Amino acid sequence: MPWVAQQQLASRILLRAILASRTGLSPQALQFSYGDKGKPALVNHPGLQFNLSHSGHWLLLASCDSDHMQLGADIERLRPKTDIDSIMRHYFAGAELAQLQALGSDDRRQAFFDLWALKESFIKATGLGLAQDLRSFGFELDKRTSMTRADFPELESCLAPYGELDGAEWQSWLGRLDDEYRFALTLHKEGVGECCWQRHFSELADWLPG
């Protein structure tokens, strides 16, 4: 089976399995709808927000039980051959570009993929995807707050985006699975109240039929 087809199959299996366990519905009973830019939602359980991302052999599913939240998740693999300088100039806000250009080449590449994961998680949370101008908002890595949580040991820091936001409360988290893979989660709080959220990491092969 081609690699892309394997990813798509494993993603669908993981998504239905985890959402079924969260909702109490069978995997076959889950019904999905899609926003204008393709963001999925559950028709028969709209209070559960979720977002799926995959990179290389890893899949990430984040979900939260709340009808007043928007959630975005992204996992990125550090790619040593990616032309990050061209991408930085076209898609990064001015302050992001300045902080990256101030770093040495190795640190710049690490920080680039950290920022890219954060930005991807943000536009997935808004539901706009790449229709949103990636230069209209940004993150300042030097203002992130370190964190240690026993229930989320992979998370390393939290920070808030800046730029042309909608005035609602946004919060993002950045973490590492290892030296190669990093991930980001972004939550948009539309009202008062708490939410219970979780994330699930799996290796791609674990969700493919034997």
Side-chain angles (χ1 to χ4, degrees), residues 148-167:
T148 54
R149 289 183 55 175
D151 51 343
F152 294 101
E154 306 94 348
L155 292 177
E156 295 182 347
S157 57
C158 62
L159 63 170
Y162 66 86
E164 299 175 13
L165 311 179
D166 57 8

Side-chain angles (χ1 to χ4, degrees), residues 62-82:
S63 61
C64 66
D65 291 306
S66 176
D67 57 4
H68 60 268
M69 307 290 288
Q70 289 176 271
L71 172 66
D74 189 64
I75 185 168
E76 292 289 337
R77 179 184 183 184
L78 187 146
R79 302 176 185 88
K81 295 183 179 180
T82 297

Side-chain angles (χ1 to χ4, degrees), residues 74 76 79 82-101 103 107-121 123 130 132-141 162-163 182:
D74 189 64
E76 292 289 337
R79 302 176 185 88
T82 297
D83 182 6
I84 65 172
D85 292 329
S86 175
I87 298 173
M88 286 161 45
R89 291 193 297 270
H90 285 90
Y91 298 110
F92 280 48
E96 290 178 315
L97 187 58
Q99 66 180 310
L100 288 171
Q101 290 175 331
L103 299 173
D107 289 339
R108 182 185 304 133
R109 186 166 292 273
Q110 290 283 353
F112 168 87
F113 282 103
D114 286 346
L115 285 170
W116 192 254
L118 286 163
K119 292 172 81 70
E120 285 277 359
S121 73
I123 63 176
L130 292 175
Q132 184 166 353
D133 184 357
L134 293 178
R135 294 170 296 183
S136 67
F137 68 95
F139 294 87
E140 294 180 86
L141 293 178
Y162 66 86
R182 76 282 329 279

